[in-house]
Amino acid sequence: MGRLTTHVLDTGLGKPAQGLRIELFRLDDGREKLLETVTNDDGRCDAPMLDLEEFRFGEYELVFHAGEYLDNTGQDLPSPKFLDVIPLRFGIAEDTHYHVPLLLSAFGYSTYRGS
């Protein structure tokens, strides 16, 4: 029943963050890379990041490659960029849907546990 999903909204441009690379790591026994994906036209991943037998309790890290995405938006950004790689560590302790979205702009971000 448990699964992990995410999506990214570009609050600076007011639209989904299309083409943003995301990595997922499990942190329980070191740092194990589970997958790498890219957001679609709606700023979402095409499939859950964890589902069925891959879903288990523990600590995880989503790594959002915001700098690469921001470079592709054509914005006039400083060098070095204020935001580049955004690591987000969180725990999974229930057998339910975990939705971890990212609200992003060139100079800030926020996240929360969604539904």
Side-chain angles (χ1 to χ4, degrees), residues 67-113:
E68 294 172 2
Y69 163 78
L70 291 166
D71 283 342
N72 292 329
T73 64
Q75 297 178 62
D76 185 22
L77 301 170
S79 182
K81 289 179 280 304
F82 181 68
L83 293 176
D84 189 12
V85 176
I86 300 172
L88 177 60
R89 291 188 173 189
F90 60 96
I92 291 179
E94 299 174 76
D95 190 17
T96 189
H97 182 192
Y98 280 74
H99 184 66
V100 184
L102 185 74
L103 306 177
L104 172 68
S105 76
F107 297 97
Y109 68 91
S110 66
T111 189
Y112 56 94
R113 181 177 171 193

Side-chain angles (χ1 to χ4, degrees), residues 29-74:
D29 297 315
R31 190 171 186 256
E32 175 190 3
K33 185 174 180 177
L34 300 178
L35 68 84
E36 182 172 324
T37 189
V38 176
T39 56
N40 61 23
D41 293 349
D42 197 31
R44 298 179 183 275
C45 301
D46 289 329
M49 301 190 84
L50 289 176
D51 203 2
L52 303 173
E53 71 268 354
E54 293 180 356
F55 185 89
R56 66 181 199 222
F57 299 166
E59 295 183 36
Y60 293 86
E61 180 179 58
L62 284 168
V63 178
F64 297 91
H65 292 270
E68 294 172 2
Y69 163 78
L70 291 166
D71 283 342
N72 292 329
T73 64

